């Protein structure tokens, strides 16, 4: 038999193709990953990974092992989910994944209220721009901006996030739309719906600066550098910003609350989902 933790590290190397990538995924240093893979190779008495200068390549034996290991990992996740889904008490840890803007500006401000109502539930909030895997146990619940397609997931639409244009009240060109300069996302985010919407409105007008996240856009807009496209629940609540009239179309993103179908049976997961469903419904700028 082999140590499952060694196998987990080997799977991470197979997935990322590098020791450093596996280390980032697992939250350890690359030396630990290398040591774990070497230990697995010793347990199985075969070479699984070729260490190249800039990457790792699976050997023929490694390819065979990784396919079986993925099935084992999937089964392990199934066991973990099914055990957790039987939980009937409202105590324990629940992981909730959401985009950084919602995690920081919508979920985190509600932690005190949630704690008052459910003191035995520990919420772990993961601010992720990418979609986490619910089937792999990367989160118990996720807030998504698109309808989920992951097999085994169940979802409810809980709101809509409306965007509009905002600028500082002291922005010099506030009354001169033809002179507006815009705050956009970096080019790697060019396919994001809100980026396409903003640039369509901007047209031939200048882009003043590019930042990677909405919080950065809001701070830059406050500074007076230009016009930002912000979620209305943020822009309307900021006394330093003013909503701008423009000729462009409005922009909305759906909000979906998602969990794995196994986890839907868990009382603690249902409680968290019900709480945030009500939170979205009670927020005028986000309600369905």
């Amino acid at each position: 038999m082999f140590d499952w933790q060694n196998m987990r590290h080997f799977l991470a190397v197979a997935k990322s193709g590098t020791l450093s990538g596996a280390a980032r995924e697992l939250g350890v240093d690359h030396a630990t990953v290398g040591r774990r893979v070497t230990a697995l190779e010793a347990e199985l008495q075969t070479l699984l990974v070729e260490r190249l200068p800039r990457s790792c390549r699976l050997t023929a034996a490694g390819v065979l092992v990784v396919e079986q290991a993925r099935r084992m990992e999937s089964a392990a996740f199934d066991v973990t989910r099914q055990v957790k889904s039987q939980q009937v008490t409202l105590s324990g840890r629940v992981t909730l994944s959401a985009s950084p803007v919602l995690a920081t500006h919508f979920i985190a401000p509600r932690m005190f209220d949630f704690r008052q109502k459910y003191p035995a539930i520990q919420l772990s909030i993961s601010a992720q721009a990418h979609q986490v895997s619910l089937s792999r146990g990367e989160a118990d619940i996720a807030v998504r901006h698109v309808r989920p397609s992951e097999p085994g997931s169940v979802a409810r639409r809980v709101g809509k996030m409306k965007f509009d244009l905002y600028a500082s009240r002291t922005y010099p060109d506030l009354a001169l739309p033809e002179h507006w300069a815009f705050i956009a996302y970096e080019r790697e985010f060019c396919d994001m719906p809100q980026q396409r919407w903003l640039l369509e409105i901007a047209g031939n007008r200048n882009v003043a600066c590019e930042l990677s996240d909405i919080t950065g856009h809001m701070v830059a807009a406050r500074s007076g550098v230009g016009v930002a496209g912000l979620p209305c629940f943020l822009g309307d609540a900021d006394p330093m910003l003013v909503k701008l009239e423009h000729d462009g179309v409005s922009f909305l993103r759906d909000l979906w609350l998602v969990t794995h179908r196994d986890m839907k049976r868990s009382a603690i997961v249902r409680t968290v989902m019900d709480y945030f469903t009500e939170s979205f419904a009670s927020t005028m700028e986000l309600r369905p």
Side-chain angles (χ1 to χ4, degrees), residues 11 33 88 116 172 204 214 248 266 274 279:
L11 277 171
V33 176
V88 294
Q116 295 302 300
N204 295 323
I214 289 177
S266 166
D274 289 345
S279 296

Side-chain angles (χ1 to χ4, degrees), residues 20-96:
S20 58
R24 285 192 297 272
E25 178 183 335
L26 297 172
V28 299
D29 58 75
H30 74 278
T32 298
V33 176
R35 186 170 61 253
R36 287 284 191 176
V37 172
T38 298
L40 179 63
E41 291 173 328
E43 290 169 337
L44 299 179
Q45 298 182 15
T46 188
L47 184 67
L48 301 174
V49 176
E50 293 181 40
R51 277 78 158 177
L52 304 176
R54 295 178 178 271
S55 64
C56 293
R57 183 169 60 199
L58 297 183
T59 64
V63 172
L64 292 175
V65 169
V66 78
E67 292 304 319
Q68 297 296 327
R70 283 173 178 152
R71 295 189 186 98
M72 295 170 61
E73 183 184 47
S74 179
F77 287 133
D78 289 345
V79 169
T80 302
R81 278 198 317 272
Q82 289 169 17
V83 169
K84 193 168 185 178
S85 71
Q86 303 303 312
Q87 187 174 4
V88 294
T89 60
L90 296 183
S91 64
R93 182 173 180 265
V94 176
T95 303
L96 173 62

Side-chain angles (χ1 to χ4, degrees), residues 84 93-97 134 137-142 258-260 263 269 273:
K84 193 168 185 178
R93 182 173 180 265
V94 176
T95 303
L96 173 62
S97 171
L134 298 172
E138 294 174 1
D140 298 314
I141 305 168
V258 193
T259 190
H260 193 277
M263 298 305 296
V269 167
M273 292 186 74

Side-chain angles (χ1 to χ4, degrees), residues 232-260:
C232 293
F233 85 96
L234 278 185
D236 289 352
D238 194 321
M240 297 178 65
L241 299 177
V242 60
K243 185 183 293 185
L244 303 177
E245 297 288 338
H246 60 91
D247 296 330
V249 298
S250 59
F251 177 67
L252 297 170
R253 296 206 72 176
D254 286 337
L255 297 171
W256 297 84
L257 205 55
V258 193
T259 190
H260 193 277

Side-chain angles (χ1 to χ4, degrees), residues 101 180 238 271:
V101 64
W180 288 352
D238 194 321
T271 296

Side-chain angles (χ1 to χ4, degrees), residues 162-167 174-178 180 182 194 196-203 205 227-230 232 236 242-252:
K162 182 181 179 182
F163 285 71
D164 221 319
L165 299 184
Y166 294 85
L174 206 59
L176 300 170
E178 65 275 15
W180 288 352
F182 291 81
Q194 58 262 43
R196 295 197 300 267
W197 165 76
L198 180 76
L199 294 181
E200 184 176 341
I201 292 177
R205 289 174 288 187
V227 175
L230 299 175
C232 293
D236 289 352
V242 60
K243 185 183 293 185
L244 303 177
E245 297 288 338
H246 60 91
D247 296 330
V249 298
S250 59
F251 177 67
L252 297 170

Side-chain angles (χ1 to χ4, degrees), residues 161-234:
M161 189 157 67
K162 182 181 179 182
F163 285 71
D164 221 319
L165 299 184
Y166 294 85
S168 168
R169 294 183 180 276
T170 60
Y171 182 50
D173 295 320
L174 206 59
L176 300 170
E178 65 275 15
H179 293 162
W180 288 352
F182 291 81
I183 301 166
Y185 289 89
E186 293 176 298
R187 292 182 182 179
E188 64 182 283
F189 301 106
C190 63
D191 290 332
M192 290 179 61
Q194 58 262 43
Q195 173 82 329
R196 295 197 300 267
W197 165 76
L198 180 76
L199 294 181
E200 184 176 341
I201 292 177
N204 295 323
R205 289 174 288 187
N206 290 331
V207 171
C209 61
E210 298 175 337
L211 297 105
S212 61
D213 66 281
I214 289 177
T215 300
H217 288 206
M218 182 171 66
V219 173
R222 285 177 187 161
S223 77
V225 70
V227 175
L230 299 175
C232 293
F233 85 96
L234 278 185

